[in-house]
Amino acid sequence: EAQVTQNPRYLITVTGKKLTVTCSQNMNHEYMSWYRQDPGLGLRQIYYSMNVEVTDKGDVPEGYKVSRKEKRNFPLILESPSPNQTSLYFCASRKQGSNTEAFFGQGTRLTVV
Amino acid sequence: KQEVTQIPAALSVPEGENLVLNCSFTDSAIYNLQWFRQDPGKGLTSLLLIQSSQREQTSGRLNASLDKSSGRSTLYIAASQPGDSATYLCAVLYGGSQGNLIFGKGTKLSVKP
């Protein structure tokens, strides 16, 4: 089954404790990205990657890092999480090209206390 | 600034009604437009993708239209059912956006039995 898989689904952590949210896709898609969803603000892009070893900032990259060492994986790293990073996070992937469908993971609910 | 607006923010209808959800965008230079469904606390499920060269797409009881010149898309749901209750999100892939989908804030639909 074609899918985007995120882990963990739920995470509660403390301020400053480094964490990684994993994302994996099995569709051989070139393009992957991370979004966060907040009430009243909708979905906003954090980082994206157009292929292996090619990453760039989205609209809200502060406090986040990413890497793309393999085509299927695109982890999101929070080096020093803060409470304002409490949010619902989504990973997405799609095939390179202007008319391709985006697929989203099930989301990761992160709470930073 | 490229924006996507969805009106209304919430909609409640009795079961069996046909309904229309609206999405408007500020720039006609789009690659495609995608409609998603989101259930509470869950991920995004892709419903329909309309490419910039298309006027509409259909899937079962759903029909999405696209009018680039007026900057509008509609999602028509026929014979609504309680299981259609969810938030519906419209997302636009703009030309030159490096793959960043711009999302509307969604329409929360409630279908009453």
Side-chain angles (χ1 to χ4, degrees):
Chain A
E1 180 189 356
Q3 59 186 4
V4 178
T5 303
Q6 295 178 227
N7 280 295
R9 294 287 314 280
Y10 303 92
L11 180 60
I12 301 174
T13 190
V14 297
T15 298
K17 185 176 180 181
K18 181 180 178 180
L19 66 92
T20 299
V21 183
T22 64
C23 173
S24 180
Q25 50 93 7
N26 62 2
M27 296 168 278
N28 201 36
H29 287 169
E30 292 84 5
Y31 187 90
M32 298 184 73
S33 57
W34 278 101
Y35 291 82
R36 60 178 289 174
Q37 185 177 36
D38 302 289
L41 297 176
L43 282 115
R44 295 174 293 167
Q45 193 184 55
I46 303 170
Y47 267 95
Y48 66 92
S49 168
M50 301 188 79
N51 215 322
V52 176
E53 302 292 1
V54 181
T55 63
D56 208 346
K57 298 176 181 178
D59 295 326
V60 288
E62 294 78 19
Y64 305 94
K65 284 176 57 177
V66 293
S67 68
R68 186 90 181 274
K69 293 183 171 58
E70 305 166 283
K71 197 172 186 179
R72 65 184 292 124
N73 297 321
F74 190 45
L76 179 69
I77 303 156
L78 285 72
E79 294 268 359
S80 182
S82 63
N84 64 12
Q85 292 179 296
T86 293
S87 187
L88 181 58
Y89 291 86
F90 289 103
C91 179
S93 77
R94 65 180 180 85
K95 193 163 182 53
Q96 196 72 7
S98 59
N99 284 318
T100 58
E101 184 178 8
F103 294 85
F104 280 74
Q106 287 299 97
T108 295
R109 172 76 65 182
L110 173 65
T111 302
V112 184
V113 299
Chain B
K1 181 183 177 185
Q2 294 166 333
E3 293 182 345
V4 177
T5 303
Q6 291 185 249
I7 294 173
L11 180 65
S12 182
V13 301
E15 182 177 3
E17 272 207 5
N18 302 324
L19 59 100
V20 174
L21 306 181
N22 296 296
C23 172
S24 62
F25 46 94
T26 53
D27 187 342
S28 63
I30 70 170
Y31 282 152
N32 63 53
L33 184 147
Q34 198 166 349
W35 282 94
F36 294 89
R37 168 186 173 137
Q38 184 177 24
D39 293 285
K42 299 290 179 62
L44 279 67
T45 301
S46 179
L47 298 173
L48 288 164
L49 170 73
I50 309 180
Q51 299 177 12
S52 60
S53 59
Q54 297 176 320
R55 295 283 294 183
E56 65 178 84
Q57 280 281 10
T58 297
S59 176
R61 293 182 295 109
L62 305 180
N63 176 277
S65 69
L66 175 65
D67 184 344
K68 283 200 310 178
S69 61
S70 65
R72 292 185 179 184
S73 175
T74 61
L75 180 66
Y76 174 83
I77 303 177
S80 59
Q81 304 169 358
D84 294 330
S85 297
T87 296
Y88 291 80
L89 295 163
C90 166
V92 173
L93 182 63
Y94 284 102
S97 68
Q98 300 294 341
N100 184 12
L101 281 172
I102 307 296
F103 280 84
K105 292 187 170 62
T107 295
K108 185 175 183 179
L109 173 65
S110 177
V111 181
K112 307 292 188 186

